[in-house]
Amino acid sequence: MNPQARALSERLQAYLDGRLSDAQRVALERELAENAAARSELDALRRVSEAARRALAEPVPEGLLDRIRGTLDVEDRESDESRVDTTSGGVSRRFWLVAAAAVLGLALLTFVLRPSPEPLPSAVAQTMLDYERGRFALELVTADVAELERFFGRRGIRFSTRVLDLRMMQFELVGGTVHELAGRPTVAFAYSGPAGLQVLCQMYEGSLDELPPTADIRSHGGIEFRVFEVGRVKLAFWREGDLICVLASTGDLEGLVGLAFAKAMKV
């Protein structure tokens, strides 16, 4: 790519990225009005960028096209292959090679560098272990159900949190907090049971379809419960309207499931 064509391509990319000053933008727009080849290249750059965004739902990383273009320049010098024709009003085969490489590079960046989301059962189990070890603090310590529900409202939670009094089952409310689980606002409230058994309930907006498969699916009162064991943590998930509820403890599995049966409400 000759220096003049390369400089134009760099300015076009900067124009699309919004990196030009007002004076540079005005000057380039005047040039575009008189240069059909430049308009064609700008249009092609725009289509490639928009296609990449639609396909990957991610913005094109700044400088990616420039880095790929630089690599292809090395190939140009070695093989003296096709160049951009700045006079014919068309876009060269080499430009589309640059464009295809940009999309491929973006795909690789997206899938290689983006961390895989942690499965929900594992995330909930870790929260339970952190609470048990004193690493997950409750913002409000209270045994008053109504007070805790009001607290969740003050903390910006818009869904109904339905905190239950489980003293009839020998579980005393300890308190609760608001935190983030898998990128969504979640309420968590803790109970203390017989022999100091700790149980953590969490509620968030979601779907049971987000959970990985499990062979342990129970049904009670017309409600489906999906049960998991992650290490020594036992979990029971169920749906209440638009909310997902989950109980977690390191105690007996059947005791936890029975407590979930008692707490669940069909909505």
Side-chain angles (χ1 to χ4, degrees):
M1 178 181 275
N2 65 57
Q4 184 179 3
R6 179 182 177 83
L8 175 60
S9 293
E10 290 174 348
R11 284 191 294 138
L12 291 173
Q13 187 61 56
Y15 178 76
L16 287 178
D17 294 341
R19 292 185 282 118
L20 295 182
S21 67
D22 288 344
Q24 290 172 326
R25 177 179 53 78
V26 171
L28 180 59
E29 288 174 348
R30 282 201 298 263
E31 184 176 348
L32 287 168
E34 300 173 357
N35 188 331
R39 291 197 300 273
S40 295
E41 183 168 351
L42 177 65
D43 184 58
L45 277 169
R46 183 180 286 115
R47 291 200 304 271
V48 168
S49 180
E50 290 175 353
R53 286 186 175 92
R54 286 195 303 270
L56 301 173
E58 293 287 344
V60 176
E62 184 176 336
L64 177 61
L65 285 173
D66 289 340
R67 292 196 296 274
I68 295 172
R69 192 179 288 115
T71 300
L72 292 174
D73 279 342
V74 174
E75 183 265 345
D76 269 357
R77 289 193 293 272
E78 293 176 349
S79 62
D80 195 28
E81 292 186 353
S82 62
R83 303 173 184 274
V84 171
D85 181 355
T86 60
T87 61
S88 66
V91 180
S92 74
R93 176 178 176 275
R94 183 179 183 279
F95 174 80
W96 289 110
L97 181 59
V98 172
V103 175
L104 177 59
L106 180 56
L108 290 173
L109 284 172
T110 300
F111 291 105
V112 173
L113 299 182
R114 178 188 294 166
S116 299
E118 184 178 20
L120 279 164
S122 297
V124 174
Q126 187 59 56
T127 303
M128 178 65 227
L129 291 174
D130 288 344
Y131 174 68
E132 191 176 67
R133 296 164 182 166
R135 299 173 185 168
F136 182 79
L138 302 178
E139 294 177 88
L140 177 65
V141 176
T142 180
D144 187 321
V145 168
E147 182 184 12
L148 185 56
E149 290 181 340
R150 288 193 298 269
F151 165 75
F152 289 144
R154 291 196 302 271
R155 286 284 277 106
I157 297 298
R158 298 297 175 230
F159 55 79
S160 175
T161 51
R162 208 173 72 83
V163 181
L164 295 186
D165 186 335
L166 299 178
R167 283 179 292 183
M168 291 292 291
M169 300 187 68
Q170 299 183 309
F171 281 88
E172 184 81 19
L173 180 65
V174 177
T177 192
V178 174
H179 73 117
E180 193 172 274
L181 176 68
R184 71 199 77 193
T186 303
V187 300
F189 42 100
Y191 295 92
S192 179
L197 176 64
Q198 296 173 320
V199 175
L200 195 63
C201 178
Q202 298 188 66
M203 301 177 71
Y204 60 88
E205 292 180 304
S207 166
L208 289 176
D209 293 337
E210 298 173 273
L211 298 173
T214 176
D216 194 349
I217 299 178
R218 319 277 184 103
S219 181
H220 179 81
I223 301 174
E224 178 183 284
F225 297 81
R226 300 193 187 184
V227 180
F228 298 84
E229 292 188 66
V230 181
R232 61 190 188 89
V233 180
K234 288 77 174 178
L235 308 163
F237 290 81
W238 70 95
R239 183 177 67 84
E240 291 189 6
D242 294 330
L243 302 181
I244 299 300
C245 304
V246 52
L247 281 185
S249 84
T250 55
D252 174 67
L253 174 63
E254 296 308 319
L256 176 79
V257 171
L259 191 61
F261 286 174
K263 187 180 185 306
M265 179 179 73
K266 191 170 184 179
V267 177

